[in-house]
Amino acid sequence: MKVFLVCLILCSFLNNSSSSNLDKINFKISNLHNLIQQERESCVNIILYFFKRAHTYNPKINALINFNPRALDDAIRLDEYFRQNKSLIGSLHCIPTLIKDN
């Protein structure tokens, strides 16, 4: 939960602009990967964007009960990998996922 709160604080600083690249796209894996490869978005911004959406909508729908406490660390690591290698790690590089809890 601490990580989630830290992400929310970071969201307020990093996503202040109302015209984010993420606000304008169809959320397909290929579209997110294109933004990363064109260096128009980072994994950190993508993860923070989805954390911010979760914070906005989850109180109303109560669908999410847990968040990966390492999500931001993983995003930082993926951004560093991309900066050094100019390539993505696999087909789910920086793709946020939800797992249904039954």
Side-chain angles (χ1 to χ4, degrees):
M1 193 61 166
K2 290 179 186 176
V3 171
F4 182 65
L5 294 175
V6 168
C7 287
L8 291 177
I9 292 167
L10 288 173
C11 281
S12 66
F13 292 110
L14 294 176
N15 287 334
N16 274 341
S17 74
S18 60
S19 59
S20 165
N21 292 319
L22 298 172
D23 288 333
K24 302 172 189 167
I25 71 163
N26 181 351
F27 286 106
K28 292 182 178 178
I29 291 173
S30 60
N31 291 345
L32 289 175
H33 283 173
N34 285 338
L35 287 174
I36 293 168
Q37 290 170 323
Q38 295 168 5
E39 298 181 2
R40 293 174 52 207
E41 280 299 343
S42 68
C43 285
V44 168
N45 283 344
I46 290 169
I47 296 304
L48 291 176
Y49 177 84
F50 284 101
F51 269 130
K52 185 176 181 181
R53 287 183 59 85
H55 174 69
T56 301
Y57 296 108
N58 196 52
K60 297 171 189 158
I61 60 176
N62 199 27
L64 306 173
I65 59 171
N66 237 342
F67 294 89
N68 180 356
R70 295 184 324 254
L72 192 56
D73 292 334
D74 291 345
I76 291 167
R77 183 180 52 79
L78 290 170
D79 281 340
E80 185 60 32
Y81 180 89
F82 182 77
R83 269 193 292 280
Q84 290 176 358
N85 300 290
K86 296 298 180 200
S87 65
L88 305 177
I89 297 176
S91 59
L92 292 178
H93 181 100
C94 196
I95 301 303
T97 56
L98 288 171
I99 299 171
K100 178 152 176 50
D101 184 17
N102 287 325

